[in-house]
Amino acid sequence: MLRTLLVICLLIGLSNSSQAQLGSYSFSRGSNVLYNDGYGIPWSNPVLYNTEGSPFYDTSFCMGSLQLPNGKTYNGIKLKLNLEDQKIIFEVEDGKAFVLSIPVARVELGCNASSQPTIFRSGFTAIDKQNDRSLYQVLDSGKVLLLKYTEIRFKDSKAYNSNDMTRSYRQLPSYYLWMPGKDMLKVPSNETELIALLSDQQKTLNDAIYKEKLKLRKETDLIKIISLYNRSAVK
C-alpha cells in the first residue's frame, strides 16, 4: 500500500513538473488540442456592427500547428489568425477560445482540406511597419523565400437615416524576399529590377517572363517567377 502511494505521488509530481515546463500548456488525449490556462487570454467575438470583408485570414477555425521560437511544436490545434492585430486565436474542445499571448515562429493552417497547408513565419528583420514578430505568409521557399504581409484597413460608415454601423475591411498585401544572411527586401515594382536581384538566373527568368508575359503586379505571376528561380537555383 505504501509503495502504491509513493508511485502515485511520484506521477503527480512529474505531471506538475511537465506542466510547469510547458508554461501551463496541456493536450487533450483525443485531438491534441492545445489548452492554455496560463498564457491564453479568453477571447470572444461580439458583433458590434455589420461587417464587409474580414480581418481574419479565414473566418473559421482551421486545423493547424504552432511552433514556438524554442522549437517546441504543438499539432492538431484549432486556429484562427487575425491579420489586423497579428493575434492567434485557438479553440479548445469545449468551444472556449483564447488569444495566444506568447510569440510563435511558425504557424500552419489547413483551412482547405484539398490543398496544402498555408504557412506563416515570423522572426525576420524589421521592415516598413513590421517587426521581428510580424507574421508573413510563405508563398514559395528555396534559395529565397517569397513572403506576403497583409495589412488590414477598415472604414466605418452609416447609411442615410440609419443607426447601424458598417465596418468595411480591406486587405492590402505587400511582398518581400528573404535570403539567408541578408536583410528583408521588398519585391521591386518592375521585372527588370527583380531580375537584377536574382541575376544568377537572369536568362532563365527573362525567357519565362517574356514567353509567358508574367507581371509582378499579379500574385500568381510573382509566385511563378520565384518558384522558377528556386527550382533553377538548385540544378
Side-chain angles (χ1 to χ4, degrees):
M1 181 68 179
L2 179 59
R3 183 177 180 181
T4 301
L5 289 174
L6 288 173
V7 171
I8 292 173
C9 291
L10 179 60
L11 290 174
I12 292 173
L14 289 173
S15 175
N16 289 338
S17 174
S18 175
Q19 186 81 348
Q21 291 173 8
L22 293 179
S24 297
Y25 281 108
S26 61
F27 292 85
S28 68
R29 182 177 300 176
S31 58
N32 286 336
V33 176
L34 178 64
Y35 181 74
N36 188 323
D37 287 328
Y39 296 120
I41 301 171
W43 178 80
S44 61
N45 192 28
V47 180
L48 303 177
Y49 33 69
N50 300 319
T51 59
E52 294 178 355
S54 172
F56 294 97
Y57 171 73
D58 193 288
T59 55
S60 302
F61 280 95
C62 306
M63 293 303 297
S65 65
L66 297 173
Q67 184 181 63
L68 305 186
N70 64 7
K72 180 67 179 180
T73 301
Y74 301 96
N75 298 307
I77 314 165
K78 290 184 178 180
L79 298 171
K80 181 185 286 191
L81 174 58
N82 188 316
L83 296 169
E84 180 182 14
D85 56 18
Q86 294 280 290
K87 296 293 186 182
I88 299 169
I89 299 102
F90 65 93
E91 186 182 62
V92 297
E93 285 187 326
D94 62 4
K96 294 179 181 178
F98 298 86
V99 176
L100 193 68
S101 60
I102 56 176
V104 297
R106 179 186 175 97
V107 182
E108 287 195 19
L109 297 175
C111 298
N112 188 339
S114 63
S115 62
Q116 293 294 320
T118 302
I119 297 172
F120 289 85
R121 287 181 56 184
S122 67
F124 301 101
T125 51
I127 188 172
D128 295 336
K129 299 178 182 179
Q130 298 87 259
N131 56 44
D132 61 349
R133 292 191 177 185
S134 299
L135 287 165
Y136 296 82
Q137 183 180 347
V138 180
L139 298 180
D140 198 77
S141 59
K143 187 175 180 180
V144 302
L145 296 181
L146 175 60
L147 304 171
K148 175 182 177 180
Y149 180 82
T150 302
E151 180 184 357
I152 302 295
R153 294 182 186 175
F154 65 83
K155 181 179 180 180
D156 294 333
S157 60
K158 289 183 179 180
Y160 181 70
N161 282 340
S162 173
N163 291 323
D164 293 335
M165 179 75 72
T166 297
R167 175 162 292 186
S168 301
Y169 289 98
R170 293 175 60 204
Q171 297 194 2
L172 303 174
S174 297
Y175 302 93
Y176 301 86
L177 296 176
W178 181 84
M179 290 174 270
K182 297 185 179 181
D183 290 335
M184 291 275 280
L185 297 171
K186 195 163 188 175
V187 171
S189 58
N190 65 72
E191 294 76 23
T192 302
E193 292 181 11
L194 177 62
I195 291 174
L197 288 175
L198 308 173
S199 57
D200 56 320
Q201 299 296 328
Q202 181 174 354
K203 185 180 186 308
T204 300
L205 298 182
N206 258 327
D207 290 347
I209 290 171
Y210 176 78
K211 181 179 180 180
E212 300 182 42
K213 297 181 173 58
L214 302 177
K215 300 296 182 183
L216 296 190
R217 64 177 179 268
K218 294 178 62 177
E219 181 177 295
T220 53
D221 285 1
L222 176 58
I223 293 173
K224 284 182 180 179
I225 294 170
I226 301 303
S227 178
L228 174 61
Y229 174 81
N230 282 326
R231 293 196 311 270
S232 300
V234 297
K235 292 181 179 178

